[in-house]
Amino acid sequence: MPHCIPLAEIQPLRGWRYNPTLSAHIDDFVSPLFDVVSPKQREALYRNPLNSIHLSVPRGDDAAAAAAQRLQEWKTTGVLRQDQLPGIYAYYQYFRLPGSTREYCRKGFMCHIRAYDWDEGVVLRHENTLPASVNDRAELLARTEFQTSATHGLYRDDDFELESYLDEAMRSPLYETEEDYQGARDVLAVIQDAAIIRRFQQVLASRQVILADGHHRYEGSLAYRQARELAAGGEATGREPWNYHLMYLTNAAADDLRILPTHRLLLEVPTGQRMAALLPQLEQFFVVTPKEDANDLPEIIAGKPWAFGLYTGGQAYKLRLKPEAHAQLSWPTTDEVKALDLTVLHYFVFERVLGIVGADAQRAWPGVAYVRSFAECLQRVDRGEAQAAFIVNEVSMAEVEAVCHSGAVMPPKSTFFYPKTLGGFLFSSIADDEAGNEFTDYFHIPLLPS
């Protein structure tokens, strides 16, 4: 971690958006992120020739080339238009959680942020990536120089200074969805006042940013930036558009920032293991308590550290790690990671009981599925599609921050920030002739009073 004060440099952008006629029906053109869209959803979206999925998850023998050609057609024919003035785009998502009548509103804004290397300590990650997925994102970016969806970053501002500017912008929204694929209502507005934009820059300049969602897309931007720097042969100024990345930034201090749990579904036991031996082996490390109703498991373990629900063979159990067992957790990571529920689950269940040794082996092992729906977990066990379901609590924002600041990463699929941002709600160009540096003058605007 650098010893200097972190500088999260953000810039406004001249966003690309669907033309006003199409924007009036924006629900028809937005799409889920490439890594959460289901095959059924994809097929329905592909049938719309103007849906953003054709740019974000293109198909064909040379998918990136197909996306580049389609993008050029959309620009030429006016399907997409670029805003005349640079701005910071307010993005609000209204949503409800299952079983709750409260309507949440996650407030944030989209902007360009410099694509920092991880070791600069400005943008912090909490999970590892798969090289093949990063390469796909980098190739698509290289061919299109276009970003179809913002990654999600978190900054902390306990004074909530920027929210008043965002609320004011939302009085004149550009457009909104009726209800997106996940049940949220998404609203977009823009701030083009130079002095206010400068204030956003000043607030972020003293903050670190935690990458909540979009590690592969962010690393794709890093890889592309590094390739362009290499090609420039030392002639790059650092102000070129390809140094920047489209990010949606939200305040980590807000209580509308929700993280949902991702449960573990045991599809099969490793070779040489027997399901009949699972419970006796678990009892080495856990207090195993039978429960009458599997539907009560989330409530039974709620708020309890190192506690899990287990459903197998039609029977529910509560698992609670024996306190003295935790000292056996020998993975070479930080104390912040060792304290996580999911680290306990992956170490004591997947490594010690099932014999899948090491985080890398567990990540590659096909015998586990990551499922967000509790009901789906029970159903798949009952249908014989899985041997067992391990029900977990959600990770807290405090735990995410602690792990990121420790310099370590979490077990795979630890966080599910909800709701997800949309593809196609706002596009960003990093082409030299479309994202010029006209906005750099914002660095010289006098400070707004705090």
Side-chain angles (χ1 to χ4, degrees):
M1 176 85 57
H3 295 293
C4 61
I5 297 174
L7 170 63
E9 181 200 328
I10 64 169
Q11 295 287 2
L13 65 134
R14 292 176 58 213
W16 284 83
R17 299 185 287 115
Y18 283 99
N19 68 47
T21 300
L22 298 177
S23 293
H25 307 279
I26 193 66
D27 295 77
D28 294 334
F29 308 108
V30 295
S31 59
L33 300 179
F34 79 98
D35 55 348
V36 298
V37 60
S38 70
K40 184 176 180 180
Q41 286 174 319
R42 286 188 187 188
E43 291 309 313
L45 296 171
Y46 282 127
R47 288 195 287 271
N48 182 340
L50 298 182
N51 189 277
S52 59
I53 196 171
H54 293 287
L55 301 183
S56 60
V57 194
R59 297 198 290 190
D61 294 335
D62 189 344
Q69 179 179 351
R70 188 180 297 262
L71 173 60
Q72 188 55 50
E73 291 172 356
W74 287 5
K75 290 178 179 178
T76 301
T77 59
V79 171
L80 298 181
R81 295 181 182 176
Q82 188 173 27
D83 288 337
Q84 292 298 310
L85 295 175
I88 282 177
Y89 292 80
Y91 182 14
Y92 282 14
Q93 291 180 289
Y94 297 87
F95 63 98
R96 286 183 169 86
L97 296 176
S100 172
T101 59
R102 172 183 172 180
E103 183 178 61
Y104 293 89
C105 176
R106 189 173 67 190
K107 301 180 178 183
F109 58 94
M110 289 186 278
C111 61
H112 273 162
I113 187 170
R114 182 172 289 277
Y116 293 95
D117 291 306
W118 300 124
D119 58 11
E120 294 181 77
V122 178
V123 175
L124 310 178
R125 60 179 168 179
H126 70 270
E127 66 178 37
N128 286 317
T129 53
L130 299 172
S133 296
V134 172
N135 292 340
D136 286 346
R137 295 293 100 191
E139 180 186 5
L140 184 60
L141 188 59
R143 299 292 285 271
T144 63
E145 296 186 293
F146 212 64
Q147 301 180 85
T148 59
S149 59
T151 56
H152 182 192
L154 305 167
Y155 68 97
R156 176 167 284 276
D157 176 21
D158 293 307
D159 295 329
F160 293 91
E161 178 183 347
L162 301 180
E163 278 75 1
S164 61
Y165 300 120
L166 297 174
D167 288 342
E168 179 65 25
M170 277 293 166
R171 296 175 63 180
S172 302
L174 298 171
Y175 47 70
E176 63 183 273
T177 65
E178 292 183 8
E179 184 177 285
D180 66 24
Y181 74 100
Q182 57 200 331
R185 180 167 61 91
D186 308 78
V187 188
L188 188 73
V190 66
I191 297 171
Q192 294 173 325
D193 184 293
I196 294 176
I197 290 172
R198 178 63 176 133
R199 188 60 196 153
F200 274 70
Q201 292 177 316
Q202 291 163 346
V203 169
L204 268 294
S206 61
R207 304 295 197 275
Q208 290 172 304
V209 171
I210 290 173
L211 191 57
D213 214 354
H215 287 68
H216 291 96
R217 282 171 288 147
Y218 184 81
E219 285 201 7
S221 285
L222 285 182
Y224 181 61
R225 192 210 76 200
Q226 291 161 356
R228 291 294 300 266
E229 283 181 341
L230 184 63
E235 299 298 320
T237 66
R239 309 304 308 166
E240 295 84 3
W242 43 260
N243 285 287
Y244 295 91
H245 171 80
L246 181 64
M247 187 174 284
Y248 167 57
L249 288 162
T250 61
N251 190 348
D255 68 351
D256 293 286
L257 184 66
R258 311 308 298 177
I259 307 175
L260 304 185
T262 301
H263 310 296
R264 274 56 176 157
L265 203 59
L266 184 63
L267 303 178
E268 60 187 39
V269 294
T271 303
Q273 300 280 352
R274 294 182 303 109
M275 270 303 296
L278 179 65
L279 284 176
Q281 291 177 338
L282 287 172
E283 288 174 343
Q284 300 175 71
F285 310 109
F286 297 91
V287 176
V288 180
T289 308
K291 296 295 177 181
E292 289 188 6
D293 191 343
N295 292 296
D296 294 336
L297 288 176
E299 183 178 353
I300 289 170
I301 67 172
K304 298 179 176 63
W306 305 339
F308 311 93
L310 169 63
Y311 183 64
T312 183
Q315 175 63 52
Y317 303 87
K318 175 188 173 184
L319 308 181
R320 189 78 184 268
L321 186 73
K322 298 175 181 177
E324 65 274 14
H326 192 262
Q328 300 179 42
L329 207 165
S330 60
W331 278 351
T333 187
T334 63
D335 290 341
E336 290 81 0
V337 175
K338 289 181 178 180
L340 297 174
D341 287 350
L342 289 173
T343 305
V344 166
L345 180 69
H346 278 252
Y347 179 79
F348 288 102
V349 176
F350 294 141
E351 177 162 314
R352 295 296 298 274
V353 171
L354 296 177
I356 311 299
V357 179
D360 291 341
Q362 291 179 12
R363 187 183 183 91
W365 182 48
V368 65
Y370 301 92
V371 178
R372 290 181 293 275
S373 168
F374 168 69
E376 180 185 343
C377 286
L378 303 189
Q379 291 164 4
R380 290 178 67 177
V381 172
D382 285 340
R383 291 197 299 259
E385 297 173 9
Q387 299 292 319
F390 291 93
I391 308 304
V392 302
N393 285 312
E394 69 274 10
V395 175
S396 71
M397 189 62 234
E399 289 175 318
V400 173
E401 290 178 301
V403 168
C404 287
H405 291 300
S406 79
V409 294
M410 293 180 165
K413 304 293 184 183
S414 289
T415 61
F416 186 81
F417 286 87
Y418 181 83
K420 300 295 183 184
T421 59
L422 288 179
F425 210 50
L426 178 74
F427 301 96
S428 162
S429 174
I430 55 170
D432 289 332
D433 59 345
E434 294 177 348
N437 290 330
E438 72 275 8
F439 49 74
T440 55
D441 287 340
Y442 286 113
F443 278 108
H444 309 297
I445 291 171
L447 305 186
L448 283 176
S450 300

